[in-house]
Amino acid sequence: MKGRLASALPLLPLWAGLVWLGAVERARKAARRLPGRGRPWTAPAFGLLLGVAAGASYAAVTEREYAASGFAVVAAAEGTEHAEAVGIAQSYGRIATSDAVLRTAHTDAGVDTVVLRGRVSAVTSPDAPVIEITGRAPDARDAARAANAVARALARYADAAAEATGTDVRQIAEAVAPAEPVTPRPVVSAAVGGCAGAVVGCLVPLARRQGRPGGGDGGTDAGGRPPLPAQPGSALPEEPVRLTA
């Protein structure tokens, strides 16, 4: 069942486009029966519907990505100032995604070093010796596994340098597999697509008016009426040319 659904996903945008085109065509036919033919709102409505369909289709066919975050803290020895511990934490935050740590963590994460480098990131706090390690993956458990593997590898790396730095790194909160993906979000994708489509639909009538001769007024005067044709014999006679010696 899942295989059939996966094979049908690429056809979803085409199917949604055909459905919306049929709906817009029916809306156009109904608009022709209204006073003024209702055409000013046809293009924005068409753009809105098409944008919503495109956004929903994008969310349906895009691969899910999950994010899981864990936290580690730099524990300073007695007598170490807080500012110094914060500076060391920022240094360890940069080291967390280095080859020295990833080579140790990739076995625990279950992927090679290159893949693990693309899955993890580390962020430090400017006023606390805390390191946030985030793992991203198409599977929620793989995302949490990558973050925890890097946090443990960083702690082992810090233990080896504890005598030189006077600090060590401890994992205070493990990453947990999230229930919902961070991308894509169907509601957000559909809303963004609908807004973009409506804006484009509003610009279409303006572009058509600008493309008409006479600056978009369709050859009408200030009162909205077409100009009167020139009457024969109404032109002023030309002055005779006088020759002077």
Side-chain angles (χ1 to χ4, degrees):
M1 182 66 180
K2 291 183 178 179
R4 293 179 181 178
L5 181 60
S7 62
L9 283 178
L11 300 177
L12 183 59
L14 177 60
W15 175 81
L18 293 176
V19 171
W20 288 121
L21 284 175
V24 170
E25 184 61 27
R26 288 193 295 271
R28 285 180 176 177
K29 292 180 180 179
R32 293 192 183 102
R33 304 188 187 99
L34 298 177
R37 304 180 68 179
R39 291 202 172 181
W41 59 267
T42 303
F46 174 76
L48 174 64
L49 296 178
L50 189 60
V52 170
S57 301
Y58 168 79
V61 301
T62 302
E63 186 179 26
R64 301 293 187 269
E65 185 179 55
Y66 294 85
S69 297
F71 296 89
V73 64
V74 174
E78 186 177 356
T80 303
E81 296 184 0
H82 178 76
E84 184 179 354
V86 172
I88 295 175
Q90 292 177 355
S91 299
Y92 278 135
R94 291 188 289 270
I95 295 174
T97 54
S98 65
D99 291 338
V101 175
L102 296 180
R103 280 197 297 265
T104 305
H106 81 90
T107 303
D108 195 7
V111 294
D112 57 30
T113 305
V114 176
V115 175
L116 185 59
R117 181 179 291 106
R119 287 188 176 183
V120 294
S121 60
V123 178
T124 57
S125 173
D127 53 5
V130 177
I131 307 169
E132 180 183 4
I133 300 175
T134 302
R136 292 176 177 267
D139 184 79
R141 291 173 295 181
D142 290 341
R145 185 179 179 182
N148 291 327
V150 171
R152 288 190 289 266
L154 180 63
R156 290 194 291 269
Y157 180 89
D159 287 341
E163 294 184 2
T165 61
T167 60
D168 60 349
V169 176
R170 301 173 186 174
Q171 188 177 10
I172 57 175
E174 290 190 354
V176 179
E180 298 292 334
V182 291
T183 57
R185 296 183 178 181
V187 176
V188 176
S189 299
V192 172
C195 292
V199 171
V200 174
C202 292
L203 294 177
V204 169
L206 298 177
R208 288 178 178 175
R209 292 176 184 174
Q210 292 296 331
R212 292 176 182 174
D217 57 0
T220 60
D221 58 11
R225 298 181 298 273
L228 296 175
Q231 298 296 329
S234 61
L236 295 176
E238 295 184 359
E239 272 188 44
V241 179
R242 299 177 179 176
L243 300 176
T244 59

